[in-house]
Amino acid sequence: MGRVTYIAHDGAGHTIELAEGESLMRGAVDNQVPGIDGDCGGCAACGTCHIHVAADWLGKVGPASDAEREMLQFADGAAEDSRLACQIRMRDELDGIVVHTPESQH
């Protein structure tokens, strides 16, 4: 198990426990974290789980795949720290990760 803190656009924080191997998107959806829709169910096909990874966690998360980068091109407010939460799975080194949700998901 690991902890994930989702910081909403308005600054509200939501911390959950997430089992190893589960995606940050699944954890957010299962725990009703606002700002993560996950419309495609985790297939990296919709971009509604767009997050910004806190700078000190980017190296641990690793780079996005080509397909993920292509999907992020359609996300509002995408930046260098953008990822799809469905593509990040909990593992020991991510315990305590902090991510930020954008103002809206499209």
Side-chain angles (χ1 to χ4, degrees), residues 29-49:
V29 170
D30 289 351
N31 289 279
Q32 293 85 41
V33 173
I36 302 287
D37 298 334
D39 290 342
C40 74
C43 300
C46 69
T48 63
C49 65

Side-chain angles (χ1 to χ4, degrees), residues 7-57:
I7 307 294
H9 182 72
D10 66 4
H14 305 274
T15 301
I16 66 163
E17 294 282 330
L18 188 60
E20 186 167 333
E22 287 292 323
S23 72
L24 273 63
M25 182 276 303
R26 177 58 40 212
V29 170
D30 289 351
N31 289 279
Q32 293 85 41
V33 173
I36 302 287
D37 298 334
D39 290 342
C40 74
C43 300
C46 69
T48 63
C49 65
H50 173 217
I51 56 173
H52 297 279
V53 177
D56 51 336
W57 289 98

Side-chain angles (χ1 to χ4, degrees), residues 34-100:
I36 302 287
D37 298 334
D39 290 342
C40 74
C43 300
C46 69
T48 63
C49 65
H50 173 217
I51 56 173
H52 297 279
V53 177
D56 51 336
W57 289 98
L58 280 172
K60 292 179 183 177
V61 168
S65 68
D66 289 342
E68 183 179 355
R69 281 193 299 275
E70 286 179 27
M71 183 56 58
L72 284 166
Q73 290 179 23
F74 301 104
D76 285 345
E80 292 294 318
D81 62 353
S82 290
R83 292 293 306 270
L84 297 178
C86 67
Q87 299 301 296
I88 302 172
R89 299 202 172 271
M90 178 51 70
R91 53 189 193 277
D92 288 341
E93 58 268 25
L94 295 183
D95 183 24
I97 189 170
V98 177
V99 299
H100 299 264

